Amino acid sequence: MPRPRCPRCKRPASHCLCALIPDLASRTGILVLQHPDEVDHALNTANLAVLGLRNAELRVGEVFEDLAGWLAQPGYRTRLLFPGEDACPLSAVVEEDDSRPVRLVVPDGTWRKARKLLHLNPALAALPRVTLTDARPSRYRLRKAPMEGSLSTLEAIVAALNVLEAPADYRALLRPFDALIDGQIAAMGEETFKRNHLS
């Protein structure tokens, strides 16, 4: 019989993270497009990010039929947070002569699955891309990063908001993330963690 789960944070009820999730406002709108394989993943950081932000929403799928409508909502400058040769530093968006807030579209999945989301959704791939520079190293100690500077979805959102919303600080979003990682390490045992993740 499956363990009861918190309907909000999706964690086992005995390990609910809701008490650590903040309630933060932002001018920046966040739209997370999550690959279906991430929904039931034990380390679903995108869900934690969206729960902690008032101006954020999460959509799950591979092909987003309503994407053009979501992107056409007025009042925002929409950017895709994803690296690429044509991506400009996120800090450059702050310097643009445009007072409208930014809507940041964030694909959520492994790098391979995130690229697939772009491939399957041409409107997504056509968005102007922005990328993070000088981000802190990832605190995600349970996944080996495929490339230098890789961050979890939640960490990328925090870093982006700290650029776009400065001097506001969004690191409170990392509290449930840190607790989630610590809980996973405790569950597997220190020796297993050291053997599999520190080598």
Side-chain angles (χ1 to χ4, degrees):
M1 188 170 164
R3 290 189 291 178
R5 290 189 166 267
C6 170
R8 184 167 178 255
C9 73
K10 310 285 194 277
R11 300 289 303 150
S14 57
H15 293 84
C16 173
L17 296 169
C18 288
L20 297 174
I21 297 172
D23 178 26
L24 302 177
S26 64
R27 287 186 77 231
T28 304
I30 302 289
L31 172 60
V32 177
L33 300 180
Q34 186 174 66
H35 190 281
D37 289 354
E38 295 295 310
V39 173
D40 294 321
H41 197 287
L43 302 172
N44 184 345
T45 71
N47 188 52
L48 292 176
V50 170
L51 289 175
L53 292 167
R54 293 180 207 163
N55 195 8
E57 56 186 314
L58 184 144
R59 310 282 183 170
V60 178
E62 281 194 315
V63 177
F64 298 94
E65 303 289 350
D66 298 328
L67 182 61
W70 302 337
L71 300 180
Q73 292 175 4
Y76 284 98
R77 294 175 282 158
T78 302
R79 300 290 186 272
L80 175 68
L81 183 61
F82 201 77
E85 287 181 13
D86 55 347
C88 74
L90 188 61
S91 55
V93 176
V94 178
E95 296 162 10
E96 290 175 357
D97 186 20
D98 192 330
S99 61
R100 292 175 301 161
V102 172
R103 177 190 292 111
L104 215 50
V105 183
V106 186
D108 178 53
T110 62
W111 283 106
R112 187 170 151 268
K113 285 170 185 159
R115 286 189 191 96
K116 185 177 182 183
L117 291 179
L118 269 63
H119 176 72
L120 294 174
N121 298 277
L124 185 61
L127 288 173
R129 290 192 195 192
V130 291
T131 190
L132 295 164
T133 54
D134 303 322
R136 295 179 179 195
S138 177
R139 298 149 82 130
Y140 207 162
R141 296 169 286 157
L142 294 176
R143 278 187 176 175
K144 287 201 167 49
M147 63 187 88
E148 188 73 26
S150 294
L151 299 174
S152 69
T153 299
L154 183 146
E155 290 174 302
I157 289 171
V158 169
L161 286 173
N162 280 346
V163 171
L164 295 170
E165 302 275 334
D169 189 339
Y170 287 82
R171 284 179 294 177
L173 284 168
L174 295 171
R175 285 199 313 256
F177 173 73
D178 289 338
L180 176 64
I181 300 297
D182 289 344
Q184 292 290 117
I185 291 171
M188 74 174 63
E190 195 69 30
E191 286 305 312
T192 302
F193 170 68
K194 285 178 180 173
R195 186 168 62 250
N196 294 328
H197 299 282
L198 294 183
S199 55

